[in-house]
Amino acid sequence: MSGTGLWLIGARGSVATTAVVGLLALRAKLVEPVGCVTERPEFAGVPLPAWDEIVVGGHDIVHTPLEKRAEQLAEAGLVPHRVLSAVASGLRAVDAHIRDGYHPATHTGPQSDAVARLVGDLEAFRAAHGLDRVVVVNVSSTEPPVPSVPEHASLALLEEALSDPSRAVLPPSSLMAYAALLAGCAFVDFTPSPSVRLPALHELAVSKGLPYAGSDGKTGETLLRTVLAPMFTSRALRVRSWAGTNLLGGGDGANLGDPEQARGKLESKARGLAALLGEGVTAPLHIDNVPDLGEQKTAWDHVSFEGFLGARMNLQFTWTGLDSSLAAPLILDLTRLVAAAHADGQAGPLAALAFFFKDPVATDEHRFAQQTEMLTKWAQDLS
Amino acid sequence: MSGTGLWLIGARGSVATTAVVGLLALRAKLVEPVGCVTERPEFAGVPLPAWDEIVVGGHDIVHTPLEKRAEQLAEAGLVPHRVLSAVASGLRAVDAHIRDGYHPATHTGPQSDAVARLVGDLEAFRAAHGLDRVVVVNVSSTEPPVPSVPEHASLALLEEALSDPSRAVLPPSSLMAYAALLAGCAFVDFTPSPSVRLPALHELAVSKGLPYAGSDGKTGETLLRTVLAPMFTSRALRVRSWAGTNLLGGGDGANLGDPEQARGKLESKARGLAALLGEGVTAPLHIDNVPDLGEQKTAWDHVSFEGFLGARMNLQFTWTGLDSSLAAPLILDLTRLVAAAHADGQAGPLAALAFFFKDPVATDEHRFAQQTEMLTKWAQDLS
Amino acid sequence: MSGTGLWLIGARGSVATTAVVGLLALRAKLVEPVGCVTERPEFAGVPLPAWDEIVVGGHDIVHTPLEKRAEQLAEAGLVPHRVLSAVASGLRAVDAHIRDGYHPATHTGPQSDAVARLVGDLEAFRAAHGLDRVVVVNVSSTEPPVPSVPEHASLALLEEALSDPSRAVLPPSSLMAYAALLAGCAFVDFTPSPSVRLPALHELAVSKGLPYAGSDGKTGETLLRTVLAPMFTSRALRVRSWAGTNLLGGGDGANLGDPEQARGKLESKARGLAALLGEGVTAPLHIDNVPDLGEQKTAWDHVSFEGFLGARMNLQFTWTGLDSSLAAPLILDLTRLVAAAHADGQAGPLAALAFFFKDPVATDEHRFAQQTEMLTKWAQDLS
Amino acid sequence: MSGTGLWLIGARGSVATTAVVGLLALRAKLVEPVGCVTERPEFAGVPLPAWDEIVVGGHDIVHTPLEKRAEQLAEAGLVPHRVLSAVASGLRAVDAHIRDGYHPATHTGPQSDAVARLVGDLEAFRAAHGLDRVVVVNVSSTEPPVPSVPEHASLALLEEALSDPSRAVLPPSSLMAYAALLAGCAFVDFTPSPSVRLPALHELAVSKGLPYAGSDGKTGETLLRTVLAPMFTSRALRVRSWAGTNLLGGGDGANLGDPEQARGKLESKARGLAALLGEGVTAPLHIDNVPDLGEQKTAWDHVSFEGFLGARMNLQFTWTGLDSSLAAPLILDLTRLVAAAHADGQAGPLAALAFFFKDPVATDEHRFAQQTEMLTKWAQDLS
């Protein structure tokens, strides 16, 4: 498959920058594809775009050059210094494809004007590189949940409201998803933002024959929960409480340390645990902003459970990861897999990609081993 | 299915006593079947013996009454005080079926004499209760690995050697397995002892049409390893080291704190990790005897892994369990399932029971989710 | 010293009940004085009341008999079953000295009426047992901080306001402290409630020649913080963040899981950390109600610090304790020590008892080793 | 005080290299003195050599240039890249003062020949830089304990044996200490090796009026133990077991992963715990070589303790540090303090420096807070 575009919303963020550095390093065979699921033997025959068939562009509202961002990540231990110098010119090339993102505070006029500009950016990118298809991936800051309005449930009503200069009917993540679909691009939401998960946008995706995937990348505490919770169930052990604390530095910490911003993520985490273990589990959960941790995130979970004859036992774990290192290879995997789904003619939500997400679309399957099987089987059926 | 015997080797140990108390409590509906896998909905239609169809006897080399042992376990928090009094008469009834175990230090004459006595005990038990079948389960102290000798690989040579009064060709666990099979009983090894895993005993089991299962019950650190290791593999993350420390009190701690006794268990744990992650993982592992912990066992594991672009991350967990509470319900599950396999005409090693064991017979499948599927599918095919 | 009364506010709570059971068990030599600081060799010559010279009474707003409460604590693992039966008659005797506590919701008329009744209860108790002195100890539920009003800062204004039937100028903990001082009793606050820490009550204590101590018993996470933080300082290591999560079951969990109720405790914990490490430390802190933990409390702290040449390192700890087991012996220690201070003629805040408290009165010394030295020296100077 | 030499045994090792880089960076004011105890306000008036009054040389048996070693440490995250380039010329200057160390495998002839050469190196260094005094600090690989022989207890016998070409009466660490003292240098042992702790060498130090300090730098697990254990004692809580596991990468891991090499360190750790808590504590302890951890060391400790009425509780901690970052500033502190002691005319073991060591000379005081006080008081008395 040749000519796949990866368009990153939040293209200068840590996750995006790490993904781009990694793609360039993989292309140059500077590193092994550790963390890239699509390089596992199970995916050997799947028709996926090769690393050098992926062209990257994106939107962002900040202007720090990618190369500068990559240097910061090298200081933080995310990118090896030897890789940094080898990919500098590649980063500058990607930088040239990054356009101004949409920001409600600076936009005037109806949202439809913004849409027109964003669609234009995507179409120009596709044309300039002669791409077969483009996958738009949202890795920008998390937005809080939005109140439901009738326009979110009907494409016709939505389109009308977008033309109204006195309204901002869509949050930025959804505006971007709308523009992507309108431009004929597949869409992936790696955040818990509203984004593509409004019924009107589902309607648009299906009508345009476009696949979408999401939401909220699963890279740490929730990954472990979806691995560990099924063990308790299989062994008929009764989980009584599952408490969690997340310490985050970096921009993500600042954003999610704000309770309102964090609400979407906390809700998506809670839904997952309830789906796995039922409703009766006490599950306090915190996200704290701890700036000195930088790109590191640390999660502590304490699980209290009951066994035979009422015996009380517990499990604790501490996960210490570099958030962008965990997320970035999955961005590349998702680009490949969603591109392949698009080429295969699939439209609407891709339930088979639940493996990657905290709050997967179109499925209630949260058990990680089952998600792994779903993914593998689905990919092997692609042709 | 009516009339299933459960014959416990080590019938007065903590695991056996907890299993018997639990069986009596389940029968009297004093407790819910938490920890009993065969009570999960997936096993609803499987033809398993009911709790009140299981009759318990056993061998042991100590003589403390079961009721006394149960009181000790109540003090240690394994058995609720309210249950203790309700099952006292039931415990005395089981006590009446416990016979002297085999101990090499007190036995004189050829091992075949001991075999004859042990077989007699089993046949008398089956006859006295009019049992359809008996499942013998080894929960006695762990034995170290034994050097391989030709007699272990040939049933004919083995039988000859057993008659030689100058030799003790079989370790106690294997002598017991031999007697069980000779008496027409299915066999389960819940320890890492040599037991039924000698080729000559496999030959005997197959020739007598008897199923067997084992070995080394998976209830703590290894359970978690077989749950967590596949996550790293599925996500293409490279585990570099997996260090473990186990703190045990109780008799198990005293036994396994001795490096020679622990050798079998350490080897079985190491085999499992290598099967899951390959050979290149640094994996120091310790078992320490910490008497003040009593029936509690605590395991700490530290996993260091490499992600995208060489990023170094880690996971730690601490598992704090009551060893006998974790093991006892599995003993009851195994009794039911192996009895059903016997009734179904299955003979030889039961690979489908890998779910229960650190070092499963006849399979290399260590991944817990896959083992869960194997078990469920196998059980649903029983008829 | 003979005839010391211990009057417990919240006399039927877990801490009070454990303290009373323990006192009776110590008196009967059923247990060793583990956890009792005043039994350490350093206190050998200090003139403290003996265990059998302490008579217990108290106030509470609930009526569950102490014996029943002790049974509940035995089920929760706080009190050995063998001790329970031996102290039953002693518990009934204490029960007979417990009077109805003050509850604003059920009280009508001016607060001065309530004071008169509470003072009467204390005086009757002292008279009935011919006691030399009485130490009143507050172990009732934590109250939130109260807004400062002029009456809290002046004894004259306060007394006027207490007579006003339209006002409830004092929160319950402070009303109780006021009554205690009025009745000539020394006072200890083991909670972070406002209690005796109002300037008007300080004025009263000094004018009546009564010592007081507090506040907020230091038994877990904060104890460790005051032990560990000085290590970083002594080694010139720079703590950058100190995050904490507390999981509590029992009544304390229900109370402190409510953010408003917890405010006082969170503030007292934060003050301590700032006093130890200065202001620049990020220190998110949570208290979660996890009912299934029962009497257990578990705290996880994550400390991130900077070393030589900017190196980033961290320390984590998990403390798992039984809250009432940790607190109860300190209640007995405080009773002895405050009685001795009273006998010694000391009045006002006892800074030397900072060892016992998260938020000590009359001192900024939070370092545990220094507090230990202060306590020992002070006690050895008593005569 | 001007002209102090620091002579490092193992001058090209990680600890030594970090110390030298740090000294150069401090001198150039590139970094703040985080981790340097002697920069704390308490040491403000103490007559210590300034950073730019310290000249560094040393012995080593490897020849990798210091600059190369510093680059490796920068890759491992111990040294910031920005510092590295700024200190390059300083590193080359120190490199020029490093001489070949003593290695028994390559040395022929009596040990006295080696001594003569080593003494010559030290005297030449002192003369070349016009130094007032030299402090020799051993940071080379840990040696196992040595069997006691009469020559270790008598200086006269020792000197005779050193001249015997058929004997190697002293292990390398002690040979080096002997040479240092003979050359009139103060000596510090930062390892648990035999080194200066032979009675004959004590005799030599005293006779030459030279101070010495040691042994075995306290930078991680043991530091925490000496901070935490006194808390349990002060609170009359009874520690029942204290289990520990240490994961080390780097050269230290390879060395100490070997049980024979680790014996000295394990013994020194065990002595400390017994001194703090008495003999009845179960204390299994492991050191594992985990190469992928690189310069990082991680220790997990599990403390089980008994409280009031027999309640069982526990504390766990995980300490994750960079070994050389923790040790290096202490090397600089010790150099300053021992130089000041020498200038002050003190001879023999410096008990007041127990603060720095796992197994301090001439004192049984292991409690960290008390050691801190001893150090401060002693330093303030220097003049």
Side-chain angles (χ1 to χ4, degrees), chain C residues 28-288:
Chain C
K29 299 196 191 310
L30 294 171
V31 296
E32 291 181 73
V34 178
C36 294
V37 173
T38 49
E39 291 284 311
R40 299 255 322 132
E42 298 89 86
F43 295 82
V46 181
L48 301 171
W51 299 130
D52 54 11
E53 289 167 346
I54 300 174
V55 182
V56 186
H59 279 122
D60 207 318
I61 57 175
V62 297
H63 296 93
T64 322
L66 265 192
E67 200 180 345
K68 178 81 184 160
R69 292 289 292 116
E71 280 164 22
Q72 292 165 351
L73 298 178
E75 277 308 297
L78 281 173
V79 169
H81 282 87
R82 66 176 180 86
V83 165
L84 188 61
S85 50
V87 302
S89 70
L91 288 171
R92 285 191 294 269
V94 171
D95 225 20
H97 310 143
I98 301 181
R99 300 288 169 261
D100 277 355
Y102 166 77
H103 196 296
T106 58
H107 179 74
T108 55
Q111 282 193 316
S112 55
D113 287 5
V115 169
R117 179 174 68 78
L118 299 167
V119 168
D121 290 341
L122 285 164
E123 289 177 339
F125 174 66
R126 182 165 49 204
H129 300 282
L131 300 170
D132 290 337
R133 71 199 79 256
V134 175
V135 180
V136 175
V137 181
N138 182 25
V139 285
S140 62
S141 293
T142 292
E143 298 168 5
V146 285
S148 194
V149 294
E151 290 84 353
H152 291 172
S154 148
L155 187 53
L157 288 179
L158 177 65
E159 287 175 344
E160 203 178 304
L162 284 167
S163 305
D164 180 345
S166 71
R167 299 189 60 181
V169 69
L170 287 181
S173 63
S174 296
L175 192 83
M176 201 54 237
Y178 177 73
L181 297 171
L182 221 55
C185 302
F187 192 82
V188 177
D189 197 352
F190 207 73
T191 80
S193 300
S195 176
V196 74
R197 300 190 79 165
L198 305 179
L201 299 188
H202 169 81
E203 193 183 334
L204 178 59
V206 172
S207 76
K208 308 256 309 177
L210 293 167
Y212 67 87
S215 37
D216 204 2
K218 177 160 89 169
T219 62
E221 184 189 49
T222 302
L223 174 59
L224 282 155
R225 289 175 166 206
T226 61
V227 168
L228 289 166
M231 172 190 79
F232 291 103
T233 305
S234 296
R235 279 291 177 95
L237 299 167
R238 185 178 288 171
V239 173
R240 298 289 301 270
S241 62
W242 195 310
T245 296
N246 293 272
L247 311 180
L248 303 180
D252 220 22
N255 190 34
L256 294 171
D258 170 358
E260 177 54 21
Q261 300 296 326
R263 197 151 54 90
K265 188 167 291 264
L266 290 170
E267 286 176 12
S268 108
K269 279 170 172 265
R271 265 195 299 278
L273 200 65
L276 287 162
L277 294 172
E279 290 298 334
V281 179
T282 306
L285 185 58
H286 306 285
I287 302 181
D288 291 317

Side-chain angles (χ1 to χ4, degrees), chain D residues 38 88 107 124 130 145 161-162 179 188 193 303 308 310 329 332-333 336 346 359:
Chain D
T38 49
H107 178 75
L162 284 168
V188 177
S193 299
V303 187
F308 199 49
L332 301 181
D333 287 325
R336 287 175 140 190
Q346 300 189 22
D359 195 16

Side-chain angles (χ1 to χ4, degrees), chain B residues 240-241 243 245 247 282 284 286 288-293 298 300 302 304 312 316 318, chain D residues 240-241 243 245 247 282 284 286 288-293 298 300 302 304 312 316 318:
Chain B
R240 299 290 300 269
S241 62
T245 296
L247 311 181
T282 306
H286 306 284
D288 291 317
N289 179 26
V290 181
D292 78 281
L293 294 182
T298 292
W300 175 73
H302 181 280
S304 170
R312 306 310 297 270
Q316 292 176 48
T318 306
Chain D
R240 299 289 301 268
S241 61
T245 296
L247 311 181
T282 306
H286 306 285
D288 291 319
N289 179 24
V290 181
D292 78 281
L293 294 182
T298 292
W300 175 73
H302 181 282
S304 169
R312 306 310 296 271
Q316 291 174 49
T318 306

